Amino acid sequence: MSINLEREKVTLPLEEVVQTKTTMLTKVLYGGMVVSMLAAFYFIFLYAEIEKTMGVVQKIFYMHVPSAWVAFLAFFVTFVFSILFLIKRKRIYDTYAYVSAEIGVVFTTIVLTTGPIWAKSSWNTWWAWEPRLTTTLILFFLYMAYLMVRQMDGVWDKKARLAAVFGIIGFADVPIVFFAIRWWQSKFHPIVFGDGPSQQGGGIAPSMLVALLVAITAFTFLYAYLLHKGVSFENMKIKVGHYKEKLRERLEH
Amino acid sequence: MGFMYAAYSIVWVIIFGYMLLIGKRHSSLKKDIEFLKQLDK
């Protein structure tokens, strides 16, 4: 049922496959990303006040939290498109799920590298096996496995189905990562918003909140830009693959 | 201060590294397309 899903659409001339023109959406996303990123740097370094206890090291927070947000968003998008793929079996949904998972892994890597730097400066240890850190590491490995499934040999739709199941199951870890410090005792990881069993949310100064929100906006634009670029590239790759197949058939006969 | 610089450097190395990877994939696909064009003539 799901085999050769888009084969009927492969009769494109090569010129049509090779789309080198920059679309309006690409320009908007790129512009939005550059402007919001510059604004984020202004708000982080010139507008937001310096935290009294930690000093300037606290500014890692403005890269760490938006990266975590983008990773969660990316895995959510993978989750949604994996479900859509399993229901409708359209390759475009699988492409969105794959590209989004890859971006999610990139941003989880950022979270897992900036986190220990923060930890060393404030907790005097690079790593602690506490709930938030452990569940984030599990999340990273889950989606690494997802990407490895994509690299396997075999028919794409079988890989896509298996990856979609991974994408759906893997997402179960996202709320666990988020609520880990609110559900379980955590001596290290601070709660900023809301309360946990062992600590109360410390809140955040208004200027810091503004800087954080601008940084989150900038990272969201970056995610949207990368997703858009990645999906158009993957589509082009698929079309070139089909074109190759057609060409081989033609040359053989 | 050093910790902050290290963190910011790592963030941008990872992001630009990923963008570079996408660019490399793109150029290898372009080479493929050029080859196909030659073959199709």
Side-chain angles (χ1 to χ4, degrees):
Chain A
M1 185 182 85
S2 61
I3 298 167
N4 302 332
L5 289 170
E6 72 303 312
R7 270 200 188 163
E8 67 275 9
K9 292 178 189 170
V10 297
T11 49
L12 285 165
L14 197 57
E15 278 68 29
E16 227 171 289
V17 172
V18 193
Q19 286 178 350
T20 44
K21 276 185 185 173
T22 314
T23 61
M24 189 63 192
L25 183 63
T26 314
K27 282 180 191 168
V28 169
L29 291 175
Y30 185 76
M33 181 190 74
V34 172
V35 171
S36 58
M37 209 53 93
L38 290 172
F41 275 102
Y42 167 77
F43 280 100
I44 290 167
F45 292 106
L46 301 170
Y47 181 77
E49 60 193 82
I50 293 171
E51 210 268 336
K52 285 173 190 139
T53 324
M54 288 186 70
V56 284
V57 179
Q58 183 270 341
K59 292 193 186 291
I60 295 172
F61 175 78
Y62 303 113
M63 292 284 120
H64 182 74
V65 176
S67 299
W69 152 254
V70 167
F72 289 172
L73 175 68
F75 295 142
F76 177 68
V77 169
T78 299
F79 171 72
V80 170
F81 279 102
S82 296
I83 294 173
L84 282 174
F85 173 75
L86 289 179
I87 297 169
K88 305 222 170 174
R89 297 294 165 96
K90 282 190 178 175
R91 193 158 188 176
I92 187 70
Y93 296 142
D94 173 61
T95 308
Y96 268 100
Y98 167 54
V99 176
S100 192
E102 194 177 75
I103 300 168
V105 168
V106 169
F107 282 89
T108 310
T109 310
I110 294 175
V111 174
L112 286 170
T113 45
T114 53
I117 296 172
W118 169 289
K120 183 65 184 167
S121 66
S122 65
W123 312 337
N124 201 28
T125 178
W126 292 105
W127 186 266
W129 292 102
E130 61 93 53
R132 171 64 65 83
L133 274 69
T134 311
T135 48
T136 309
L137 191 65
I138 292 169
L139 186 73
F140 174 76
F141 285 128
L142 278 171
Y143 282 92
M144 278 302 282
Y146 175 96
L147 294 182
M148 284 160 101
V149 167
R150 308 305 306 232
Q151 301 304 319
M152 284 188 333
D153 283 336
V155 190
W156 79 266
D157 70 312
K158 273 190 181 176
K159 286 193 288 181
R161 265 182 290 164
L162 184 61
V165 174
F166 253 92
I168 294 164
I169 295 172
F171 185 72
D173 193 34
V174 171
I176 298 174
V177 173
F178 183 77
F179 288 107
I181 52 171
R182 290 165 179 86
W183 287 343
W184 300 299
Q185 300 273 344
S186 175
K187 277 190 285 180
F188 294 114
H189 214 287
I191 298 175
V192 179
F193 306 104
D195 297 327
S198 58
Q199 53 174 316
Q200 288 190 322
I204 190 169
S207 67
M208 290 177 177
L209 184 63
V210 172
L212 177 67
L213 292 175
V214 176
I216 285 174
T217 309
F219 271 62
T220 309
F221 265 112
L222 176 63
Y223 164 73
Y225 174 73
L226 290 173
L227 182 70
H228 176 65
K229 288 295 270 184
V231 168
S232 23
F233 168 77
E234 282 297 320
N235 280 339
M236 205 158 93
K237 204 169 99 179
I238 292 163
K239 284 177 185 170
V240 169
H242 289 313
Y243 190 87
K244 264 185 196 171
E245 223 171 273
K246 288 220 136 214
L247 201 63
R248 190 166 51 230
E249 277 171 20
R250 216 179 68 196
L251 290 170
E252 278 171 3
H253 296 108
Chain B
M1 197 81 159
F3 283 117
M4 189 195 74
Y5 284 131
Y8 274 75
S9 307
I10 286 169
V11 168
W12 291 103
V13 163
I14 292 172
I15 290 172
F16 285 122
Y18 181 61
M19 283 178 159
L20 200 75
L21 183 77
I22 292 176
K24 273 195 170 182
R25 284 178 188 169
H26 204 93
S27 56
S28 111
L29 191 66
K30 270 187 181 171
K31 272 183 196 167
D32 242 19
I33 290 164
E34 285 307 313
F35 174 71
L36 285 174
K37 272 184 184 171
Q38 293 294 320
L39 213 66
D40 204 17
K41 270 179 189 173

